[in-house]
Amino acid sequence: MNKAKQIWQKLRGANLQSTRCFICDKWQKNRYHARWILYIFIALVAVALESGGEFLTLLGISEGDDEIVPSMMYQRFATAGHRKPRPHFVRLIVMSQTYDPSVFANKCEKREFEAALLRRAMDLSPAVIALDFWYSPQPCTAGEDAQKSNTLKTAISEVSNHIPIVIGLGSHTKHEFEKAKDPDLPQLEKFGFSRKDQVMDDSLNFGDDNISYGLARLELDTRGIPILWDVYANKDAVRSKSRQRLPGLAYAAAILRDTKLPDVLAKINKADEHPFTSFIPESDFEPVRAIDLLCGRTLSPDENWRTCKAADLRNDPRFSRLKAGQIFLIAENTDEDHHKSVIGELPGYVLQANYLESLLDDRCFRRINPLVEIILTLAGVIVIVILFEKITGTFMALAWGYVFVALIAGLCNMLGMYFGFFIGFWIPLITIPIVEMIFIWRRKTVPKPSP
């Protein structure tokens, strides 16, 4: 009886040991799988943050949805070279509710103010004047209001005879139609209107061949320079599936300043790309207040801008940065026109100024396919894992892992500078050596099952 009991205890112990080994092996394998699931997740998240709108488009999300905020690592990478971005070609003239409240109180008076501002800017002989506005034909159609609107038309016509003028155009996306509960949207959807499409807004016709137009639409990912857009002229054009190709506001102004720019961007335009740019903060542009340009000072509430005494622009040091041959971007600062960017929230006109500077300064980065970025990221992960498996000593492997990441980062930076591509697949690799070190440490500290 005792002999049988001893045999049973041995068998039971062997079974328990076998079970423990099985569970341990299972845990080791699952931990290995979890490790690679983590790496794939890191790659996907990093590419989503760095590729922005391109990656979201692959997921079926496109223009018109909420803006995204790409990683701050992008701006550091895009400005890592010796050549730091700064304004060369663009000067900002900004209307503001803070300094010009009476002008903003009435849309028609604002048009009259803009007419006076245009004539004032013409005296400084800019190369191009870009108006970051779009004008609806509905308001200012009767009495004194119509006269104020005609004042703007006359000023634009007269100034455009001497200086090229670019005027913004508005548009609506599917997302914006949804927010406005447009009754025509269901019908438009039947004709294939999607989130990638836009319908142009009705705009005031200035009737002059010397005037150019550009779509003021920004990309979902504000790093992208809007070069060319495929848009429908109106809702009827959606039914007939008749699209037209229009330049973005910045591109329309840039090609007037540099007529060879379309040839330089031929490959980008053929591929229908919106390349990335790095950013210059608003303070570096040193914006000029519109009221200062017109009247030489900020007016008190009881003063009228129409009767203010104009300053001598050419001898006023405040306007010394407004030089002949530059592009004057005239815009307004409103709460509605602020957008997310890699350097924080920026007014729309600062983004347009950045796009202009980038186009004229050859500071554009072409994107690579997000799927290619994911493959490159995983290839980099495999190399780092091999380094940790082959090199004796965890800290030595950690050092070599970061040497590898630094070499890849330098190579990507050189490709960006010399070939104009943004390649950021190395960014998620920064975390991998640390994860590998933790994994190896855990593997060493978890006891192995007894044989």
Side-chain angles (χ1 to χ4, degrees):
M1 186 68 181
N2 290 336
K3 188 72 171 175
K5 189 176 181 180
Q6 289 175 359
I7 293 172
W8 167 248
Q9 286 177 344
K10 285 182 180 180
L11 288 172
R12 186 170 175 269
N15 286 335
L16 286 173
Q17 184 65 38
S18 175
T19 302
R20 280 197 296 270
C21 289
F22 173 78
I23 293 171
C24 201
D25 289 344
K26 247 335 191 184
W27 185 84
Q28 291 281 4
K29 289 178 181 178
N30 288 338
R31 185 176 64 170
Y32 178 81
H33 293 152
R35 171 192 185 192
W36 281 101
I37 290 170
L38 175 63
Y39 290 156
I40 292 170
F41 177 76
I42 290 172
L44 289 173
V45 170
V47 171
L49 289 174
E50 297 301 333
S51 297
E54 190 83 4
F55 186 79
L56 295 180
T57 299
L58 290 176
L59 302 179
I61 305 171
S62 190
E63 315 307 333
D65 295 284
D66 292 335
E67 291 170 330
I68 64 166
V69 185
S71 168
M72 286 295 290
M73 287 292 293
Y74 169 82
Q75 177 70 2
R76 296 190 187 100
F77 171 80
T79 57
H82 64 282
R83 187 166 170 264
K84 303 300 180 184
R86 61 188 181 87
H88 295 283
F89 307 97
V90 184
R91 292 296 177 263
L92 290 172
I93 300 171
V94 182
M95 300 166 56
S96 169
Q97 290 178 339
T98 304
Y99 303 106
D100 322 313
S102 64
V103 174
F104 278 82
N106 184 290
K107 289 183 178 180
C108 305
E109 182 175 341
K110 188 158 78 74
R111 292 186 180 185
E112 188 181 11
F113 181 87
E114 288 162 7
L117 195 60
L118 268 173
R119 289 193 171 95
R120 189 73 164 146
M122 183 181 67
D123 294 339
L124 294 169
S125 304
V128 179
I129 296 177
L131 300 177
D132 189 14
F133 312 113
W134 52 91
Y135 296 98
S136 171
Q138 276 78 36
C140 313
T141 56
E144 290 185 6
D145 287 345
Q147 187 176 352
K148 291 173 182 177
S149 187
N150 287 331
T151 301
L152 175 63
K153 286 184 178 180
T154 302
I156 287 177
S157 179
E158 290 176 358
V159 173
S160 65
N161 288 327
H162 305 280
I163 297 166
I165 292 180
V166 181
I167 301 174
L169 294 173
S171 65
H172 270 72
T173 62
K174 181 180 177 180
H175 180 71
E176 290 163 343
F177 280 137
E178 288 171 345
K179 287 174 66 177
K181 298 181 180 179
D182 192 291
D184 296 329
L185 181 58
Q187 193 68 20
L188 294 176
E189 288 177 322
K190 288 181 181 179
F191 290 100
F193 188 69
S194 69
R195 290 195 179 276
K196 295 181 180 180
D197 297 323
Q198 302 174 51
V199 173
M200 286 175 55
D201 296 334
D202 291 337
S203 59
L204 192 63
N205 185 4
F206 291 95
D208 199 309
D209 293 337
N210 298 324
I211 299 168
S212 301
Y213 297 90
L215 208 63
R217 168 71 53 186
L218 300 177
E219 268 225 63
L220 173 67
D221 184 344
T222 53
R223 290 175 299 173
I225 304 171
I227 296 183
L228 293 170
W229 294 103
D230 289 323
V231 297
Y232 293 105
N234 48 48
K235 291 178 179 179
D236 289 335
V238 178
R239 297 181 179 92
S240 60
K241 301 187 183 299
S242 175
R243 289 182 184 175
Q244 56 181 300
R245 202 159 172 77
L246 289 178
L249 179 65
Y251 184 56
I255 58 180
L256 290 174
R257 177 67 170 73
D258 182 358
T259 55
K260 293 183 178 180
L261 191 58
D263 295 330
V264 174
L265 300 177
K267 289 183 179 179
I268 290 174
N269 290 342
K270 186 177 179 180
D272 195 22
E273 295 178 9
H274 288 176
F276 282 167
T277 183
S278 54
F279 287 93
I280 303 169
E282 181 177 8
S283 57
D284 287 7
F285 284 100
E286 300 180 281
V288 172
R289 295 175 187 169
I291 195 67
D292 288 349
L293 184 64
L294 198 59
C295 298
R297 59 188 173 83
T298 302
L299 302 182
S300 61
D302 58 341
E303 287 184 290
N304 192 317
W305 60 266
R306 296 181 185 85
T307 58
C308 67
K309 185 178 180 181
D312 185 354
L313 295 180
R314 298 186 186 280
N315 295 325
D316 193 324
R318 292 177 300 169
F319 309 124
S320 60
R321 55 187 176 276
L322 298 177
K323 296 178 181 178
Q326 295 174 325
I327 296 176
F328 289 1
L329 179 61
I330 301 177
E332 57 182 300
N333 191 352
T334 62
D335 295 336
E336 297 78 21
D337 189 27
H338 279 69
H339 306 269
K340 298 171 184 175
S341 80
V342 294
I343 60 170
E345 196 168 272
L346 293 176
Y349 60 83
V350 176
L351 292 173
Q352 296 288 4
N354 268 285
Y355 301 150
L356 260 168
E357 284 286 347
S358 302
L359 291 168
L360 295 172
D361 198 29
D362 297 325
R363 190 163 39 84
C364 304
F365 301 96
R366 296 188 68 184
R367 319 179 197 188
I368 65 173
N369 190 296
L371 294 177
V372 174
E373 281 217 71
I374 292 171
I375 292 169
L376 291 173
T377 302
L378 293 176
V381 169
I382 291 170
V383 172
I384 293 173
V385 170
I386 291 172
L387 288 175
F388 272 83
E389 293 292 338
K390 298 297 182 182
I391 296 175
T392 304
T394 305
F395 288 103
M396 183 61 71
L398 181 70
W400 276 106
Y402 278 114
V403 167
F404 170 73
V405 173
L407 289 173
I408 293 296
L411 179 62
C412 289
N413 186 261
M414 288 178 62
L415 290 172
M417 285 193 296
Y418 293 104
F419 297 100
F421 278 93
F422 171 68
I423 308 173
F425 77 90
W426 59 272
I427 295 173
L429 298 181
I430 295 172
T431 62
I432 305 303
I434 295 293
V435 176
E436 270 297 296
M437 188 174 72
I438 294 171
F439 172 79
I440 289 175
W441 176 76
R442 288 287 298 157
R443 187 169 61 185
K444 288 180 178 179
T445 54
V446 172
K448 295 182 179 179
S450 302

